[in-house]
């Protein structure tokens, strides 16, 4: 048996979901309180971003204790209660495992720094640093105390990369995963996991900030097989997803092909870089539809043909809201949100819904740098200013690209703090919370559409398991694909433009039935007109 392909995952950023203690920070009890809501939506698994003890330099991705609950979010008893209560709703948890690096506040790092040779070998220490740059800006190496050595940190200077070549490190990390398995957790998300395998000899790499020298190294596949065997691979229906930084299709096929016993699926980010100018995140550019469509097609087909499996997503805690990036939200918020949803929920892979996406939440529209908390955004602002941009230019880029765009508190109702908390939230609320909130949206257009898509995946095996083939590849407005399972076929059109688009339907589909439309169901004829941001899926039973 393998993981359930009918499952839909819902991602919660615990800090921003629901605060039950009145300190302006979301907590585990708050998530428990919202289980009935999630059950109504119909999701199967909740992925929780890290809630472990951490100095919070990178909002919990800097872990100082892997097997405890940060008191900010509650207690271990709260966590156990959440697991049990979720189960009573048929919902399971997926935990975030940040095993590439730990906080410099972790006892391993502290012991290493104090001179303990056993723990020094837990980290990547060198006499001479390479020229690699940190993903959060600046050098990727920092002085290791006063030893004259340097330690590697691909992220913040307080996130020290762990030395997976050391078997003791692997053993400790496998224990972490098993600790949470013992608490009844079967599903895991592995943070930047294609960076865990570093070469023995590290070399300078002037290309792309050094990424090719430490990304997708062949030994990573070996480590994943060991991780699988020692931990989650023992649960037959476990679902695992690897977050893959700057990866390739070939590697992702291998990471996720079931015969290789590595992971169930992968997140890749190529489709969320189509609004980067010259491959650079901190720039402003309208997104390029043709690249987006071609990426979906190339990945969709390669994974389908080679038995790989994609995690399908538009949003997460590291991305600005997709609605602001890919849709004319002023005029077509409902249509755009439902079309984006259908374009992945009807595709091949496992769909992920990021909190607030199901009610069409938007970027917060902050007006000052003081509103931002995220370390990456703050560093980027400084670097943009240093590179000669004016305050206004730098701010405009942060406003469009900051990770805080998706981290603002969940908008439950139109009260002062949006029903998230009774106190001022740790991160300012989105400007739209008076109009866009769960209380009003549950009877709106978007939430019920998500319910429908999630239910369809459960009822139509072709959605969960069918093959994927590109369709209408030459279109500059429509992203279309065809799914096939035995005699059944499903053709899905997604109009990414704010204009009407005419098209010719293949003969065989003219007798089909409309399975999904985000407008009133059109009559199927050989000549079809799609309205702005329309999604339309046509099913034929006997192809
Ligand atoms: C991943 C996380 C991100 C974090 C980084 C370092 O990309 O999603 O939030 O900052 O890894 O752990």
């Amino acid at each position: 048996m393998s993981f359930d392909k009918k499952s839909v995952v819902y991602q919660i950023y615990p800090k921003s979901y629901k605060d039950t203690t009145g300190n302006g920070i979301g907590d585990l009890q708050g998530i428990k309180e919202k289980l009935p809501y999630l059950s109504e939506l119909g999701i199967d698994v909740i992925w929780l971003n890290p809630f472990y003890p951490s100095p919070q330099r990178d909002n919990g991705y800097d872990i100082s204790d892997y097997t405890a609950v940060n008191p900010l979010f509650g207690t271990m008893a709260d966590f156990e209660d959440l697991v049990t209560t979720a189960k009573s709703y048929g919902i399971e948890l997926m935990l975030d495992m940040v095993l590439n690096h730990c906080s410099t506040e972790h006892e391993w790092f502290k012991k290493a720094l104090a001179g303990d040779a056993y723990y020094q070998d837990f980290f990547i220490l060198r006499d001479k640093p390479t020229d690699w740059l940190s993903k959060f800006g600046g050098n990727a190496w920092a002085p290791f105390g006063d030893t004259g050595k340097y330690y590697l940190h691909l992220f913040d200077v307080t996130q020290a990369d762990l030395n997976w070549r050391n078997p003791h490190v692997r053993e400790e990390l496998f224990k972490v995963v098993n600790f949470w398995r013992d608490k009844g957790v079967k599903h895991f998300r592995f943070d930047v996991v294609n960076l865990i395998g570093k070469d023995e000899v590290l070399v300078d790499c002037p290309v792309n900030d050094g990424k090719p020298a430490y990304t997708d190294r062949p030994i990573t596949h070996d480590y994943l097989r060991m991780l699988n065997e020692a931990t989650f691979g023992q649960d037959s229906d476990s679902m695992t997803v690897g977050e893959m930084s700057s990866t390739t299709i070939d590697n992702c096929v291998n990471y996720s092909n079931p015969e290789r016993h590595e992971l169930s699926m992968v997140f890749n980010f190529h489709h969320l870089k189509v609004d980067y100018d010259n491959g650079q995140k901190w720039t402003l550019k309208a997104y390029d539809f043709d690249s987006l469509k071609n990426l979906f097609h190339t990945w969709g087909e390669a994974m389908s043909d080679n038995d790989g499996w994609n995690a399908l997503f538009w949003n997460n805690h590291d991305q600005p809201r997709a609605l602001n990036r890919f849709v004319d939200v002023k005029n077509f918020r409902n249509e755009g949100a439902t079309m984006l949803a259908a374009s992945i929920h009807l595709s091949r892979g496992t769909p992920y819904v990021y909190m607030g996406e199901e009610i069409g939440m938007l970027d917060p529209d902050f007006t000052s740098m003081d509103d931002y908390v995220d370390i990456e955004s703050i560093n980027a602002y400084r670097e943009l200013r240093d590179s000669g941009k004016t305050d206004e230019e730098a701010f405009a880029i942060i406003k469009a690209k900051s990770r805080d765009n998706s981290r603002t508190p969940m908008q439950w109702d139109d009260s002062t703090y949006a029903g998230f908390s009774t106190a001022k939230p740790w991160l300012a609320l989105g400007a739209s919370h008076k109009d866009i909130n769960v209380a009003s949206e549950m009877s709106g257009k978007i939430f019920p559409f998500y319910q429908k898509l999630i239910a369809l995946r459960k009822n139509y095996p072709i959605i969960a398991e069918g093959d994927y083939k590109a369709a209408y590849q030459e279109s500059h407005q429509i992203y279309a694909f065809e799914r096939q399972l035995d005699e059944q076929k499903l053709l899905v059109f997604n109009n990414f433009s704010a204009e009407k688009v005419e098209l010719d339907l293949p003969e065989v589909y003219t007798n089909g039935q409309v399975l999904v439309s985000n407008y009133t169901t059109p009559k199927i004829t050989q000549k079809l007109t799609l309205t702005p941001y329309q999604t339309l899926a046509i099913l034929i039973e006997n192809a």
Side-chain angles (χ1 to χ4, degrees), residues 64 107 408 416 465:
S64 54
E107 64 163 9
T408 58
T416 316
E465 283 161 41

Side-chain angles (χ1 to χ4, degrees), residues 189 243 281 316-320 401-403 406-407:
R189 178 249 189 206
E243 186 206 23
K281 170 168 174 170
N316 70 24
H317 64 292
D318 292 328
Q319 299 289 330
K401 296 296 177 79
S402 172
R403 305 194 295 181
S406 55
R407 296 177 179 184

Side-chain angles (χ1 to χ4, degrees), residues 58 61 98 101 136 155 159 189 191-192 243 317-318 403 407:
D58 186 21
Y61 282 92
V98 188
H101 46 264
F136 288 168
F155 294 87
Q159 291 166 301
R189 178 249 189 206
D191 191 63
V192 293
E243 186 206 23
H317 64 292
D318 292 328
R403 305 194 295 181
R407 296 177 179 184

Side-chain angles (χ1 to χ4, degrees), residues 297 301 304 346-348 462 466-472 479-485 488-493 506 508-509 538 540 543:
H297 284 327
E301 289 192 337
S304 182
L346 300 177
S347 190
R348 181 179 175 280
I462 186 169
D467 292 344
Y468 176 103
K469 230 173 73 199
Y472 294 79
Y479 163 51
F481 53 86
E482 196 177 44
R483 307 290 309 280
Q484 173 151 24
L485 185 68
Q488 281 195 336
K489 277 186 170 189
L490 180 70
L491 181 58
V492 183
F493 294 106
V508 337
Y509 278 98
I538 307 173
I540 42 175

Side-chain angles (χ1 to χ4, degrees), residues 146-157:
D146 53 14
T147 59
K149 290 185 191 292
Y150 295 83
Y151 69 94
L152 178 68
H153 64 89
L154 292 178
F155 294 87
D156 186 55
V157 62

Side-chain angles (χ1 to χ4, degrees), residues 193-237:
V193 80
N194 62 330
L195 310 183
I196 59 176
K198 272 87 172 181
D199 290 346
E200 193 142 29
V201 179
L202 305 179
V203 292
D204 278 348
C205 173
V207 181
N208 214 351
D209 300 344
K211 291 189 183 83
Y214 61 76
T215 305
D216 287 328
R217 306 310 296 156
I219 200 164
T220 309
H221 294 280
D222 300 336
Y223 292 152
L224 287 175
R225 273 192 294 277
M226 293 179 201
L227 172 67
N228 179 317
E229 194 186 336
T231 66
F232 60 82
Q234 294 163 29
D235 299 319
S236 61
D237 53 350

